[in-house]
Amino acid sequence: MSYEQTMAVGQAQYQDAIDALCAANLPTTFTQTGGMNAALQVSLDGGWSLLLTDAQDSLSWSRAEQQGWGVGLYAPQHAFDGECRAWISTPENSLTALRACIDAVLRSAVSD
């Protein structure tokens, strides 16, 4: 498959999460962070980003193999290669668990 086809297949696996987050005013895209490591990226105000992955690794390309959620908050200058401002993970892979992780990461960043 071409790169574009591979990305479209990956996005289709997580379209429910993308749609739910976009509906909650969290603009989300399916991306790869290098080396074909998959993730969902949420763009926040001021250039900040959330990177959504599996709990312990990059996002699985197959939703059936997903191992929970990991959510990291990155400052604009780090663009996923630098230090996370905040990180949380859960072994649950539901959309409710994902939203709880996002909320926790954002709250922890504000309290720092």
Side-chain angles (χ1 to χ4, degrees):
M1 279 194 288
S2 71
Y3 174 81
E4 291 79 17
Q5 291 169 320
T6 301
M7 292 298 288
V9 168
Q11 178 172 327
Q13 295 289 308
Y14 294 93
Q15 195 63 55
D16 63 326
I18 294 167
D19 291 344
L21 293 173
C22 287
N25 293 317
L26 293 167
T28 305
T29 57
F30 184 83
T31 190
Q32 64 93 15
T33 60
M36 291 306 285
N37 291 310
L40 298 179
Q41 178 181 348
V42 178
S43 300
L44 303 172
D45 290 340
W48 289 78
S49 297
L50 293 173
L51 192 64
L52 315 177
T53 63
D54 276 10
Q56 300 297 322
D57 203 348
S58 63
L59 197 61
S60 175
W61 285 85
S62 169
R63 187 72 178 266
E65 297 173 7
Q66 183 189 2
Q67 301 289 313
W69 292 105
V71 177
L73 175 66
Y74 292 85
Q77 67 271 24
H78 291 296
F80 316 135
D81 290 331
E83 183 178 335
C84 250
R85 172 73 193 270
W87 167 263
I88 193 168
S89 65
T90 181
E92 295 181 42
N93 64 0
S94 70
L95 295 180
T96 301
L98 174 58
R99 281 305 308 263
C101 285
I102 290 171
D103 292 346
V105 162
L106 294 176
R107 276 193 312 275
S108 73
V110 171
S111 66
D112 286 346

